[in-house]
Amino acid sequence: MLMEVKNQINVTLKSIKYSIMKEMLNKGTFLMNIFFMILNDASFIIQWIIIYNIKEDVGGYTFNQVLLLWGIAAGIFGVSRFLFKNAFHLSDFITNGKLDSYLVQPKNVLLAVISSSSDSSALGDIFYGYILVFLSGFTVIKFLLFTLFMITGAIIVTDIAIILGSLSFWINRSDILADTGNGLMTNFATYPDGIFKGSARAMLYSIIPVGVTVYMPVQVLTSFNYSMFFIINVITLILTFFTFFIFYKGLRKYSSSNLMFSKI
Amino acid sequence: MRKYTVIYMANLMSNLQYMANIIINSLGFIVHIFIFFHVWNYIYENPAELIYGFSKTQMVWYVTITEIIFCSVAGRRMVRTICNEVRSGNVAYNINKPYSYVGYIMFSNLGEVTIRLVFYVMIGLGLGITFLGSIPTITIIEGIVIAISWILSIIINMLFLTFIGLLAFIMEDSNPMYWLYSKMQLIFGIVFPLEFFPTAIQPIIKISPIFVTSYGPAKLFIDFNWRFAIIVILAQIAYLLISLGLCKLMYMKGVKKLNVNGG
Amino acid sequence: MEKNNVIEVENLKKNFIVKQKEKGFKGSLKSIFKPKLKVVKAVNNISFNVEEGEMLAFIGPNGAGKSTTIKMLTGILYPDSGRIKVLNIDPTKQRKKLAYKIGTVFGQKEQLWMHLTPYDNFKFFGAIYDLSKEETEKRIEEINSLFDLSKFINTPVRNLSLGQRILCEIAASLIHKPRILFLDEPTIGLDPVVKESIRKLIKKMNKEYKTTIFLTSHDISDIEKLCKRVIIVNNGKIVLDDQLINLKKQEGTLEEIISKIYKGEKTK
């Protein structure tokens, strides 16, 4: 059992390594992608400078906290797309029968698929995340916590991408739905939760769990809080189990692109 | 002209079949407006307050209108398609076809844009009325002028996107240029009216395309006056000619290059 | 001598539900709200056994159910009903356990990393099958001499010709010494010279390691040169399961005989 886990981790790490190597084949493009992504993320600062010029707090957040919010949000999407890019393309794998070659391997199918591609521009997101943490005031504890929350958040975001992608086992052409769902996670993650009230707020802690990926971490980073720290980790774990359950449930419906469509 | 009508209708019909996609895609558009409604709701402490001369109601309408105009065009896809056609050399097949390539691109995209525009206007006005409870009072003639300025702004936007796509003739990849263009639109036009920016930047925004694609048409809707309307429409006509000229120029330049390379 | 079956299939069934769409805007709307569904019996009650060391051709016209069957045998698809035992393992229940013992090559699907060299790919596959570094090196050497890959073993796969690529695909699927090799149209799109060398290799595998070969192909010479036994499926059913020699006794070329069977014409 232990040996099996060790071998699985070994293979997944190798797969991630090769995916990154593929992205680095063209050094110029690789660096350009990273640079452009940092610039892209940074452009939003202008928006926040203007807003904070009007008012000193937005949704209970100071400017420094908004920096943290952005840092975590960017870092999360960076990590998930850098390591598990294909979680966001799972629909394509399912509808076009691309799971076949992974299914004949004696390893975890889901891990093999999501780790089989990387996105170099995502590295720009990760760098940008760290830059903002440094700008908002650096301490070692903050650095470590930030890194941890970047990982838990990335796992949750990847989980959701997988769940949305797995819908393709049941629903034809659900890829647009998955794209939209993933987009929602990004949209909400970059605004302070204090501006949302009532049911909108409740939604952000449930269906679109931006609360757990971004809002709670910002609070813990601002003033440490054991129970929130605990909740973030537990939810990450539970959601991951649920994700594997959904994917494997769907896999029984996998049709390997055989006869999906016919027109009269 | 008849052939362009046919191209337009064909695109319109084929996109009607993908109505479900357009409906699901509109969710992103709705969420943007939803978020900005909440942002401005928070920032404006009392509804009568004015920030840089704008009321809360006007700010929510401003973002709604700029988003309608900008989101009606699937810009990234348009640029990518043209860019790919140029790079793969497929564009050469269009040279000996009896229509202009720029015209073809415009009309084949306009079908989809029409559907999305109608749909987004309905959603946008619906959301605005739900959130704010009212709609700016405009006379019918003013409404027609505003509609013309919206349509012009969309066409100008599409022409600039076509130009960016055609840039692939002279640069390896024009996608980064699209990125730059859309970012500028977003930061300096879609989210905030130009009054929100430092006075040093304002004149630059006023003479940039952002004025005719985002600020002008949105401002007309929230605060109509005839003097401003004439300025906006004239500026739009000027930019229409400029963008069209740029496209033609770039295409001619590209075709020459193709001939030199033997197609 | 008792027969040693490596594949046992009993009453295997698999249906696909196909959504049918009518033309036009109305049809699109209708298919969203009230889709018309049709059940297609891709595999309809198939039973057969394969003995150890056999070389079997599993053929049929397009859409006959060959791929669906091969995918159920290898654990890719779940059957609706029926019993499968491959090397005494149920693929639906113990997919991973089975994967250690079988090899698969799908002619139209790549399993290799395109930007890596065959050598690095083999090392990756070694890790997938839990081989130690030394074992992997040893296997790569064996495979290299068997397949004669040394000329391009250090060239990235994307720079190889289609023939070289398929050779590497087959080589990679043998890294763990599988007892059964499933080949789904391995020679599709290849030139005659490469086809010939691949056939030789498959023969060699079968002879030296007693590897059971389960082959689907549209290429009659693949079948003629490799296999002793032929199973023909059509419309999800087995229409013929016989030795190739018996089939050849009929009138006409093998190609003519087979296409007659495909068309459902009576044979003697």
Side-chain angles (χ1 to χ4, degrees), chain A residues 32 36 39-41 43-44 46-48 50-51 53-55 57-61 173 176-177 180 184 187-188 191 194-197 200 203, chain B residues 17-18 20-21 24-25 27-28 31-32 34-36 38-40 42-45 49 51-52 176 179-180 183 186-188 191-192 196-197:
Chain A
M32 262 305 254
F36 259 98
L39 214 63
N40 178 42
D41 293 346
S43 67
F44 286 97
I46 298 176
Q47 184 184 324
W48 287 106
I50 291 173
I51 290 178
N53 249 331
I54 302 168
K55 208 168 178 186
D57 102 284
V58 178
Y61 279 51
R173 298 235 327 254
I176 319 152
L177 201 68
T180 310
L184 286 187
N187 280 328
F188 282 108
Y191 290 90
I195 63 170
F196 304 108
K197 304 217 166 59
M203 198 175 69
Chain B
Q17 299 207 21
Y18 298 110
N21 294 13
I24 295 170
N25 268 330
L27 213 62
V31 164
H32 272 154
F34 178 80
I35 288 176
F36 270 97
H38 284 277
V39 169
W40 293 122
Y42 190 89
I43 292 175
Y44 281 87
E45 269 155 16
E49 194 182 347
I51 296 175
Y52 297 113
W179 176 85
L180 200 69
K183 270 286 107 83
L186 186 71
I187 298 167
F188 294 106
V191 176
F192 305 109
F196 279 63
F197 294 92

Side-chain angles (χ1 to χ4, degrees), chain B residues 1-10 98-108 248:
Chain B
M1 206 54 209
R2 213 185 78 88
K3 55 194 165 202
Y4 292 114
T5 321
V6 172
I7 295 171
Y8 172 77
M9 284 312 287
Y99 49 67
S100 104
Y101 180 70
V102 176
Y104 171 76
I105 286 289
M106 290 300 290
F107 281 91
S108 64
K248 290 269 174 204

Side-chain angles (χ1 to χ4, degrees), chain C:
Chain C
M1 214 173 82
E2 202 175 303
K3 281 180 190 171
N4 186 8
N5 285 336
V6 285
I7 300 177
E8 291 175 7
V9 176
E10 238 176 78
N11 301 41
L12 191 61
K13 280 185 188 173
K14 175 84 185 174
N15 293 341
F16 287 107
I17 294 166
V18 182
K19 203 165 124 181
Q20 292 185 317
K21 211 183 109 182
E22 285 165 45
K23 268 185 192 152
F25 179 53
K26 245 180 148 180
S28 310
L29 273 187
K30 239 170 114 184
S31 74
I32 295 170
F33 298 109
K34 206 178 157 198
K36 238 183 158 178
L37 300 176
K38 193 183 145 198
V39 177
V40 174
K41 291 177 179 170
V43 172
N44 188 8
N45 212 3
I46 279 183
S47 308
F48 64 91
N49 295 330
V50 181
E51 287 172 38
E52 184 162 26
E54 254 193 293
M55 292 179 95
L56 170 77
F58 194 77
I59 60 172
N62 290 325
K66 326 179 279 290
S67 287
T68 307
T69 309
I70 220 174
K71 281 170 184 167
M72 286 193 279
L73 294 180
T74 50
I76 293 173
L77 288 178
Y78 277 77
D80 289 344
S81 65
R83 202 179 68 101
I84 308 174
K85 285 271 183 224
V86 178
L87 295 165
N88 246 335
I89 298 167
D90 183 346
T92 53
K93 288 186 185 126
Q94 292 180 292
R95 184 185 65 79
K96 284 190 200 169
K97 193 179 165 197
L98 176 65
Y100 283 110
K101 298 179 179 177
I102 60 169
T104 46
V105 178
F106 296 109
Q108 288 154 305
K109 276 175 190 163
E110 288 132 7
Q111 314 188 49
L112 300 176
W113 294 87
M114 298 303 275
H115 65 294
L116 297 182
T117 64
Y119 178 78
D120 285 335
N121 265 300
F122 298 153
K123 275 194 4 191
F124 180 70
F125 275 84
I128 284 183
Y129 291 99
D130 303 340
L131 303 180
S132 70
K133 275 189 182 142
E134 299 76 40
E135 277 175 294
T136 310
E137 288 295 338
K138 218 183 106 202
R139 272 306 281 167
I140 294 176
E141 230 165 82
E142 278 175 40
I143 285 175
N144 190 6
S145 61
L146 188 73
F147 280 65
D148 195 22
L149 306 171
S150 38
K151 258 188 240 156
F152 49 86
I153 196 159
N154 288 315
T155 312
V157 175
R158 71 192 142 95
N159 296 338
L160 300 181
S161 69
L162 184 62
Q164 291 170 329
R165 229 180 267 176
I166 293 286
L167 223 55
C168 290
E169 291 275 353
I170 299 176
S173 69
L174 295 174
I175 196 94
H176 55 293
K177 290 192 185 167
R179 288 179 56 196
I180 308 176
L181 186 59
F182 291 91
L183 298 149
D184 195 356
E185 307 208 28
T187 59
I188 198 163
L190 300 176
D191 69 57
V193 182
V194 182
K195 274 187 186 176
E196 202 43 53
S197 60
I198 284 176
R199 284 178 200 138
K200 261 189 197 152
L201 265 174
I202 295 172
K203 257 194 175 152
K204 214 168 172 182
M205 289 296 309
N206 175 260
K207 223 176 180 182
E208 285 185 20
Y209 303 108
K210 272 202 127 189
T211 313
T212 308
I213 306 289
F214 192 101
L215 170 89
T216 80
S217 181
H218 284 303
D219 189 321
I220 302 296
S221 12
D222 276 354
I223 301 154
E224 207 164 7
K225 289 185 178 153
L226 284 174
C227 304
K228 287 202 179 102
R229 180 179 161 203
V230 182
I231 292 181
I232 299 180
V233 281
N234 203 355
N235 297 323
K237 287 192 163 153
I238 293 182
V239 290
L240 182 129
D241 181 353
D242 205 347
Q243 297 299 314
L244 189 65
I245 306 174
N246 294 339
L247 200 60
K248 275 187 177 170
K249 282 177 191 159
Q250 296 180 30
E251 221 172 281
T253 63
L254 189 57
E255 186 148 7
E256 285 165 358
I257 299 164
I258 288 176
S259 54
K260 254 187 206 167
I261 299 173
Y262 281 6
K263 283 182 210 149
E265 284 170 30
K266 275 255 164 87
T267 49
K268 283 171 222 166

